[in-house]
Amino acid sequence: MFDPSRQAGEKLGILGGMGPLATVDFLRKIIERTPGQVDQDHIPVMVHSVPQIPDRSTAFLNASDAPWSYLLSGLYTLQSAGARLIAIPCNTAHVWHARLSAKADVEVAHIGRVTTTAVLAATGMGARVGVLATDATLRARIYHNELEWAGMTVVEPQPEMQETDVMTGIRLVKAGQIAAARDRLTAAARGLIAQGADAVVMACTEIPIALEGVCFDAAAIDPTAELAQSCVDWWANRYAPVRQRECEGV
């Protein structure tokens, strides 16, 4: 028989709250991608959503380490609760990914790496990839390093568009003004395509919320969805064999 206690210590940890709506969107995408037939087929999840974590972009751009203690505290909270994989549904927070990984006793997924795999599948090597992201994510090269290592070229928005459309659009999502954000971010994505991008990566977790359902003349890659799928795959690899043995009566 299925023994719930066997899996009680194996959970996915979500280090979230950056922002709150992006965390909910990530959790929804995990559930949608889990091939479950009943409640018990879904992934046990611990969510650490603390919106009071200082703004990651502001901190990085001002050479501040203000978010670090909050992120580290969240990491330890999730580990102590039984998390065996930790996902961070905030792209800019990956500025601190390497340090968090060094402090962690479990794997901390990297949103840029799992997204690069999806971009390669959609475009192949040599593609020009537009990246919609915060100023900090761009400057920290969270996606540049991964995409360029895989043989692709990164296309960034023009400086004026970065501020008036991308950053303003992200702020509007955080303020709950989704329709206004959609107009801004749609213009930014189309601007990247006009610059020759073969694909557009929505590399801020607020952006896919605003652009859901919008069609473009290039591949649109949602890192939140790719991170969610990687978590589902992780769980399937650990949990499905156990379920199979239980079904066989072993």
Side-chain angles (χ1 to χ4, degrees):
M1 295 178 60
F2 173 60
D3 178 7
S5 65
R6 186 189 184 286
Q7 297 298 329
E10 300 196 3
K11 306 178 184 73
L12 169 65
I14 299 178
L15 184 51
M18 305 172 280
L21 187 57
T23 299
V24 173
D25 181 54
F26 177 61
L27 187 55
R28 175 176 63 87
K29 286 170 178 171
I30 289 173
I31 294 168
E32 290 174 344
R33 284 160 177 75
T34 301
Q37 301 301 313
V38 296
D39 292 347
Q40 291 75 19
D41 289 333
H42 286 266
I43 305 172
V45 177
M46 296 295 298
V47 181
H48 183 272
S49 183
V50 178
Q52 287 69 37
I53 297 174
D55 186 79
R56 283 64 58 198
S57 293
T58 301
F60 176 78
L61 295 174
N62 288 282
S64 168
D65 205 27
W68 170 246
S69 62
Y70 292 80
L71 294 168
L72 187 61
S73 175
L75 171 75
Y76 288 155
T77 297
L78 291 169
Q79 283 190 166
S80 65
R84 293 296 175 265
L85 172 70
I86 293 175
I88 310 171
C90 172
N91 289 271
T92 309
H94 282 68
V95 165
W96 291 270
H97 179 274
R99 288 170 65 191
L100 284 170
S101 293
K103 293 287 187 179
D105 296 327
V106 299
E107 180 184 356
V108 181
H110 191 290
I111 196 169
R113 290 173 195 154
V114 299
T115 300
T116 295
T117 300
V119 176
L120 270 174
T123 66
M125 292 183 63
R128 290 172 56 82
V129 182
V131 177
L132 292 177
T134 65
D135 296 340
T137 294
L138 294 176
R139 292 193 195 179
R141 297 181 57 84
I142 291 168
Y143 282 85
H144 289 66
N145 292 340
E146 301 296 330
L147 292 166
E148 290 172 1
W149 183 85
M152 292 175 276
T153 300
V154 173
V155 180
E156 294 185 13
Q158 296 297 326
E160 182 178 354
M161 179 170 285
Q162 175 67 17
E163 178 54 36
T164 61
D165 290 322
V166 181
M167 293 303 299
T168 297
I170 291 168
R171 295 184 193 110
L172 287 168
V173 174
K174 289 182 178 292
Q177 300 178 46
I178 307 302
R182 181 175 296 113
D183 292 341
R184 297 276 189 167
L185 293 166
T186 296
R190 289 178 176 158
L192 288 175
I193 295 168
Q195 290 174 234
D198 302 302
V200 175
V201 176
M202 297 178 281
C204 173
T205 45
E206 273 74 32
I207 294 176
I209 296 169
L211 294 183
E212 185 172 11
V214 179
C215 296
F216 299 104
D217 295 328
I221 309 297
D222 177 358
T224 306
E226 298 305 329
L227 183 62
Q229 185 62 57
S230 73
C231 292
V232 171
D233 293 343
W234 165 83
W235 179 251
N237 289 336
R238 295 171 68 91
Y239 178 57
V242 174
R243 288 284 284 178
Q244 180 65 31
R245 289 195 297 273
E246 288 162 353
C247 290
E248 293 171 352
V250 176

